[in-house]
């Protein structure tokens, strides 16, 4: 159970408490009952079943009814101990078998009319494992160990680690008392106070650690300086920018300029909703780098997206003295060689590409800014490979500034915990004139009407996406469905004026590219695709998206997919097709999507439905492994913890003040526990 030290044992918290002074009636047991203590007379005991299914079954009767007690292990020993006709006190976890209540492997002892001395009014129940239980180390025994340990511990063994002003401000229970009360509370109210104290401590320390890493990085990491806004930036801004920037875009650009001008390395996460206009922000930031004599690169998650960025950027900067190159896994070797050469010589200003950019052979002359698009998962190793590509300074290589742009918003609480050591910008404003996408749910038998609706939109000159799931576990079947679906769509649209692109991950790259670009240019009106188009694809003329088997997609994924429409001025629509049978979670996902277009709200809902462990990219972050706190339920506490950690570090960045000594000592002692990396 990962218990190696006394501290580990102390932090194995009971998952509930039960009242062991109370004796219930057998009749009270219902499906909701979990643990119960009853007293009654043993009226039978029999060993039944053969060999592997052999078990001891006993009947206990009180004035209200009969309860079955079952043992699978130690059958003969127990049978010898139990006497029919004797009164027993029984405690355990209840279940139902063929409609009658039973307890498997109960705690049982002779009963003399009163609960024995020393029983707790709130007795802790601890988790254990089957294996441990078989060796006599069940939850009860663990509780005994904990009780013994607590008996040995003095106040100085569990010194206070939170500063007095925090304890006071939040009227928190002292640490020593909290550890006692969370295990063996005197009253439910004491338990609640102990729980909230220890939850706060958990969240606060995590925030403090991240704050320390961040401030350390700010102090120590040297970065290249973009000191001026130059010719290219200004020229682009005044002559090439096709629209007015939104307030949010301007704010983020200011933040980037401040960071990159500061002399320290920027490590910034840019959160923006689908369609909020991150690309143009990225381009302006890259122009800033080039103006200051550096190169910049933008890394996209897919080849389609890299190519699209390349084309869009080339178009936007047309006529400017700027070399833009493209590098992907499938770049031809001659092209590739040329691109690599000009990146290394410094001739190339902006390199657009896939993760191929991060590979070793790609060398830059002076890389000053790396942008990672549509991705919040960006691993340590990948970051490290970027660092090596920086510019030569006086004392070694200076790493480039890094801007990571998310694909969809991340819930605030998650960003605070999992990415709290990054600087962080939010773009929560869409460009003006966007109409919310009308999203509806339809059952699959309405497909004919849906197809008619598509035809109606096409007749107005619009384009449409039809998306099929392609899930790893059922890949072959899904693929067949996609092909079938494609044939069906062809049959629905026999008119010679309508052309259909099919894009999926199994096609040869060349075929995929061709189909993609035909849709981009409007030569085809319908695209039948899998989620390869999930992120980033920008075809403003597309106004309808139909998602087949929408119940198979996750919430953020659906939001991201839907973001492929509604990118122009026209009203757009998203139709979620499902079968009639939907489970609760799927229905909730679909309803959420129909109800809102706000990616930030959707992200919160996603976290609520799935829990933090399942949100992409956070599983290994290790920062979400709280023992007590939950970033979903304890959101308010988390925000307080963050504010308090910030205000302490503001005043005392190295925790040298007398009041913060407890914290400092504690963090030093804990250091080995968490592996922090300078490159986070
Ligand atoms: P995302 O944030 O999802 O990557 P994009 O950068 O692809 O979004 O932008 C979505 C669309 O919005 C593009 O067609 C882009 O040209 C347009 N756009 C971006 N910023 C603005 C703006 N300030 N005003 C109008 N249109 C904008
Ligand atoms: Mg984008």
């Amino acid at each position: 159970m990962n218990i190696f030290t006394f501290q580990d044992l102390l932090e194995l918290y009971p998952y509930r408490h039960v009242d062991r002074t109370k004796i219930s009636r057998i009749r009270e047991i219902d499906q909701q009952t979990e643990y119960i203590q009853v007293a009654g007379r043993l009226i039978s005991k029999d060993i039944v079943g053969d060999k592997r299914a052999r078990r001891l079954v006993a009947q206990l009767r009180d004035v209200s009814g009969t309860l079955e007690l079952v043992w699978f292990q130690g059958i003969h020993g127990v049978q010898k101990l139990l006497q029919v006709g004797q009164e027993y006190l029984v405690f355990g976890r209840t279940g139902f078998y063929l409609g009658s209540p039973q307890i498997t492997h109960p705690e049982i002892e002779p009963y003399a009319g009163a609960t024995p001395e020393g029983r707790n009014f709130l007795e802790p129940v601890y988790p254990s494992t089957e294996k441990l239980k078989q060796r006599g180390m069940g939850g009860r025994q663990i509780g005994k160990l904990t009780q013994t340990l607590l008996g040995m511990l003095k106040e100085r063994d569990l010194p206070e680690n939170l500063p007095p002003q925090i304890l006071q401000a939040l009227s928190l229970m002292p640490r020593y008392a909290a550890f006692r009360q969370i295990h063996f509370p005197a009253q439910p109210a004491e338990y609640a106070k102990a729980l909230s104290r220890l939850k706060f401590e958990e969240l606060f320390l995590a925030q403090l650690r991240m704050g320390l890493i961040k401030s350390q990085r700010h102090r120590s990491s040297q970065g290249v300086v973009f000191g001026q806004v130059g010719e290219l930036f200004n020229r682009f801004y005044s002559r090439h920018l096709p629209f007015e920037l939104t307030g949010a875009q301007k704010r983020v650009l200011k933040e980037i300029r401040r960071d990159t001008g500061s002399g320290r390395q920027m490590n910034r996460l840019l959160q923006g909703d689908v369609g909020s206009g991150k690309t143009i922000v990225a381009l302006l930031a890259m122009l800033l780098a080039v103006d200051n004599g550096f190169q910049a690169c933008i890394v996209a998650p897919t080849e389609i997206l890299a190519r699209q960025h390349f084309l869009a950027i080339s178009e936007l900067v047309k006529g400017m003295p700027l070399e833009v190159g493209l590098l992907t896994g499938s770049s031809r070797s001659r092209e590739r060689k040329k691109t690599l050469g000009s990146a290394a010589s410094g001739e190339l200003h902006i390199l657009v590409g896939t993760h191929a950019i991060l590979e070793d052979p790609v060398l830059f002359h002076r890389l000053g800014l790396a942008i990672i698009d549509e991705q919040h998962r960006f691993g340590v190793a990948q970051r490290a490979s970027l660092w090596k590509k920086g510019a030569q300074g006086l004392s070694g290589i200076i790493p480039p500034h890094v801007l990571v742009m998310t694909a969809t918003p991340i819930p605030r609480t998650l960003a605070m915990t999992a990415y709290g050591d990054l600087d962080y910008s939010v773009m929560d404003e869409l460009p003006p004139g966007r109409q919310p996408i009308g999203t509806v749910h339809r059952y699959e038998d309405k497909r004919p009407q849906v197809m008619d609706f598509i035809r109606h939109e096409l007749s107005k000159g619009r384009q449409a996406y039809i998306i099929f799931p392609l899930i790893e576990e059922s890949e072959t079947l899904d693929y067949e469905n996609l092909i079938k679906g494609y044939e069906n769509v062809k049959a629905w649209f026999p008119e010679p004026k309508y052309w259909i692109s099919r894009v999926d991950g199994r096609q040869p790259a060349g075929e995929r590219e061709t189909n993609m670009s035909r849709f981009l240019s409007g030569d085809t009106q319908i695209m039948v695709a899998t989620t390869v188009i999930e992120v980033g694809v920008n075809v403003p003329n597309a106004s309808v998206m139909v998602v087949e088997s929408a119940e198979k997609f996750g919430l953020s994924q659906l939001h991201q997919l839907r973001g492929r429409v509604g990118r122009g001025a026209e009203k757009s629509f998203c139709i979620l097709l499902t079968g009639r049978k939907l489970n609760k979670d799927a229905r909730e996902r679909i309803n959420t999507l129909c109800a809102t277009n706000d990616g930030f709200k959707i992200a919160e809902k996603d976290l609520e439905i799935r829990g933090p462990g399942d949100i992409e990219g956070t599983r290994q972050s290790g920062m979400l492994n709280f023992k007590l706190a939950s970033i979903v339920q304890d959101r308010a506490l988390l925000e307080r913890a963050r504010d308090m950690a910030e205000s302490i570090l503001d005043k005392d960045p190295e925790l040298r003040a007398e009041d913060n000594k407890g914290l400092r000592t504690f963090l030093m002692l804990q250091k080995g526990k968490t592996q922090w990396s300078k490159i986070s």
Side-chain angles (χ1 to χ4, degrees):
M1 293 186 78
N2 269 322
I3 298 176
F4 299 100
T5 66
F6 287 151
Q7 186 69 38
D8 294 338
L9 180 61
L10 217 50
E11 289 177 6
L12 179 73
Y13 299 111
Y15 54 91
R16 75 160 61 70
H17 288 85
V18 290
D19 183 352
R20 294 296 300 270
T21 62
K22 184 178 166 210
I23 297 175
S24 306
R25 292 276 158 90
I26 289 173
R27 209 185 38 210
E28 289 169 32
I29 301 172
D30 62 23
Q31 300 286 351
Q32 270 69 53
T33 313
E34 284 190 288
Y35 285 83
I36 203 158
Q37 179 164 265
V38 294
R41 192 177 299 280
L42 199 75
I43 53 170
S44 71
K45 54 166 186 179
D46 302 289
I47 291 180
V48 300
D50 42 53
K51 275 197 189 147
R52 307 193 108 237
R54 196 185 293 277
R55 60 200 186 273
L56 172 63
V57 178
Q59 305 283 336
L60 188 84
R61 178 178 292 164
D62 72 1
V63 291
S64 73
T66 316
L67 174 67
E68 200 167 81
L69 308 175
V70 187
W71 287 264
F72 295 97
Q73 260 127 27
I75 295 174
H76 295 286
V78 179
Q79 199 216 15
K80 250 182 235 153
L81 279 173
L82 296 181
Q83 281 176 26
V84 171
Q86 165 86 43
E87 298 264 345
Y88 288 97
L89 183 66
V90 168
F91 172 80
R93 190 185 193 127
T94 57
F96 278 84
Y97 182 68
L98 299 178
S100 15
Q102 70 169 207
I103 298 181
T104 307
H105 290 184
E107 287 175 24
I108 185 164
E109 63 198 290
Y111 177 63
T115 43
E117 293 281 308
R119 280 294 143 85
N120 279 311
F121 145 65
L122 287 168
E123 192 162 294
V125 183
Y126 294 91
S128 181
T129 62
E130 274 314 308
K131 222 169 167 179
L132 278 172
K133 276 184 201 156
Q134 281 177 25
R135 301 297 186 90
M137 188 49 79
R140 192 168 169 73
Q141 284 72 27
I142 290 177
K144 281 190 175 149
L145 288 178
T146 305
Q147 196 163 23
T148 308
L149 176 61
L150 282 168
M152 290 159 58
L153 291 174
K154 305 274 181 303
E155 199 155 348
R156 66 177 146 75
D157 298 316
L158 289 168
E160 186 52 66
N161 54 9
L162 298 179
Q165 78 269 22
I166 290 191
L167 290 175
Q168 238 168 36
L170 301 179
S171 31
L172 295 177
M173 184 181 265
R175 191 156 187 264
Y176 179 67
F179 271 115
R180 302 191 152 256
Q181 295 294 332
I182 199 163
H183 289 283
F184 298 99
Q187 294 292 332
E190 303 297 300
Y191 174 76
K193 286 184 94 175
L195 183 64
S196 93
R197 140 86 212 204
L198 292 171
K199 276 183 177 177
F200 178 83
E201 178 182 322
E202 229 177 8
L203 294 167
F204 174 76
L205 291 175
Q207 290 298 309
L208 200 69
R209 283 195 191 99
M210 267 182 302
L212 281 167
I213 294 174
K214 192 155 134 182
S215 69
Q216 211 170 25
R217 201 188 60 228
H218 283 181
R219 267 176 288 136
S220 65
S221 77
Q222 195 193 359
V224 294
V225 182
F226 301 168
Q228 54 159 2
V229 176
E231 169 69 21
L232 290 169
F233 188 100
N234 284 331
R235 180 162 154 197
F236 181 82
Y237 204 100
S238 57
R239 284 198 251 154
H240 293 248
L241 194 61
F243 35 65
E244 172 83 3
L245 292 184
T246 64
Q249 286 170 323
K250 285 183 188 159
R251 178 162 38 78
V252 171
L253 269 171
K254 249 189 217 141
E255 285 166 349
I256 292 172
R257 273 181 51 193
R258 196 190 54 215
D259 279 9
T260 54
S262 71
R264 61 182 170 77
Q265 189 225 8
M266 174 175 79
N267 220 339
R268 188 169 277 282
L269 179 70
L270 170 55
Q271 273 230 70
D273 203 350
V274 175
S276 59
K278 295 183 286 288
T279 319
I280 204 82
V281 171
L283 176 58
L284 281 160
M286 291 195 286
L287 292 179
L288 192 64
V290 178
D291 268 339
N292 286 277
F294 293 94
Q295 294 167 291
C297 69
I298 179 164
V299 178
T302 63
E303 193 140 348
I304 289 175
L305 204 53
R307 188 168 298 271
Q308 176 187 289
H309 276 334
F310 174 71
L311 294 174
I313 289 173
S314 306
E315 184 63 33
L316 281 164
V317 302
K318 211 183 228 164
M320 289 175 60
L322 206 62
E323 278 301 314
V324 183
L326 175 69
L327 186 80
T328 71
S330 64
S331 295
R332 301 252 159 68
S333 65
R334 227 187 39 182
E335 237 175 285
R336 190 184 168 82
K337 226 173 171 175
K338 195 175 142 244
T339 309
L340 287 181
S342 59
S345 70
E347 237 172 287
L348 189 74
H349 300 113
I350 292 176
L351 182 57
V352 183
T354 56
H355 282 225
I357 291 184
L358 302 178
E359 284 159 18
D360 267 345
V362 185
L363 292 174
F364 289 89
H365 178 57
R366 267 159 77 79
L367 183 64
L369 171 68
I371 296 177
I372 317 297
D373 190 25
E374 305 287 8
Q375 196 170 15
H376 47 265
R377 267 175 310 164
F378 189 61
V380 172
Q382 291 167 311
R383 266 172 212 273
S385 68
L386 258 180
W387 279 41
K388 288 189 297 200
K389 299 183 191 291
Q392 188 66 43
L394 287 176
S395 54
I397 289 176
I398 305 177
H401 297 297
V402 179
L403 179 68
V404 177
M405 309 201 290
T406 58
T408 43
I410 307 164
R412 228 163 75 79
T413 47
L414 199 63
M416 261 159 63
T417 40
Y419 309 99
D421 54 330
L422 299 181
D423 296 301
Y424 169 67
S425 300
V426 174
M427 267 176 22
D428 48 5
E429 185 185 347
L430 293 182
R434 292 279 174 79
Q435 301 186 49
I437 302 160
T439 304
V440 294
H441 172 207
R442 293 283 181 269
Y443 292 115
E444 280 155 1
D445 45 23
K446 287 282 179 320
R447 197 176 281 114
Q449 286 89 326
V450 171
M451 292 299 151
D452 280 347
F453 180 71
I454 292 183
R455 172 171 285 107
H456 180 69
E457 286 292 302
L458 297 189
S459 72
K460 293 191 284 181
R462 308 278 116 73
Q463 289 165 279
Y465 295 99
I466 302 175
I467 308 298
F468 284 80
L470 190 64
I471 296 160
E472 236 172 274
E473 295 90 66
S474 54
E475 196 180 311
T476 312
L477 194 68
D478 281 348
Y479 190 70
E480 280 169 22
N481 284 339
L482 166 76
I483 302 300
K484 247 188 269 163
Y486 172 63
E487 295 301 330
N488 278 340
V489 174
K490 275 209 297 204
W492 280 108
F493 295 93
E495 298 95 318
K497 60 182 166 177
Y498 293 141
W499 294 87
I500 304 168
S501 277
R502 196 186 94 215
V503 173
D504 68 72
R506 285 206 185 175
Q507 286 165 324
E511 194 181 328
R512 191 166 61 223
E513 294 296 335
T514 313
N515 282 329
M516 189 73 216
S517 54
R518 291 184 67 207
F519 188 72
L520 287 177
S521 64
D523 289 346
T524 60
Q525 294 75 34
I526 300 176
M527 177 185 292
V528 173
T530 60
T531 49
V532 288
I533 65 130
E534 183 180 329
V535 290
V537 170
N538 190 33
V539 182
N541 187 47
S543 65
V544 197
M545 167 167 291
V546 175
V547 183
E548 292 274 356
S549 306
E551 71 272 23
K552 289 194 180 179
F553 294 86
L555 195 45
S556 297
Q557 201 179 17
L558 283 173
H559 177 61
Q560 178 61 240
L561 274 169
R562 174 173 64 177
R564 297 314 104 216
V565 296
R567 301 175 83 83
E570 301 303 326
K571 173 85 183 165
S572 293
F573 304 90
C574 175
I575 301 156
L576 306 171
L577 284 178
T578 73
R580 291 244 166 214
K581 263 199 209 146
L582 283 180
N583 67 29
K584 184 173 149 282
D585 280 3
R587 197 168 286 279
E588 208 172 337
R589 288 198 297 270
I590 306 263
N591 289 344
T592 304
L593 218 72
C594 293
T596 181
N597 272 293
D598 181 335
F600 287 88
K601 277 195 196 134
I602 288 171
E604 295 289 344
K605 193 76 196 173
D606 200 16
L607 179 64
E608 217 174 274
I609 299 176
R610 289 201 290 168
D614 280 337
I615 305 283
E616 243 183 328
T618 59
R619 222 159 319 196
Q620 301 101 324
S621 81
M623 291 175 213
L624 296 170
N625 295 336
F626 295 120
K627 287 187 167 134
L628 292 169
S630 143
I631 65 167
V632 180
Q633 272 117 50
D634 303 312
R635 200 181 302 183
L637 205 59
L638 170 60
E639 302 205 349
R640 280 200 117 146
R642 201 263 321 257
D643 292 346
M644 297 233 156
E646 266 180 7
S647 90
I648 287 201
L649 287 175
D650 270 355
K651 284 183 225 126
D652 183 17
E654 289 178 55
L655 303 178
R656 298 277 176 195
E658 185 58 30
D659 275 356
N660 299 334
K661 231 173 80 184
L663 270 177
R664 189 181 164 79
T665 319
F666 188 81
L667 288 176
M668 301 274 270
L669 284 172
Q670 296 271 304
K671 224 172 182 172
K673 274 198 155 178
T674 355
Q675 268 143 35
W676 300 106
S677 149
K678 191 174 159 201
I679 311 158
S680 55

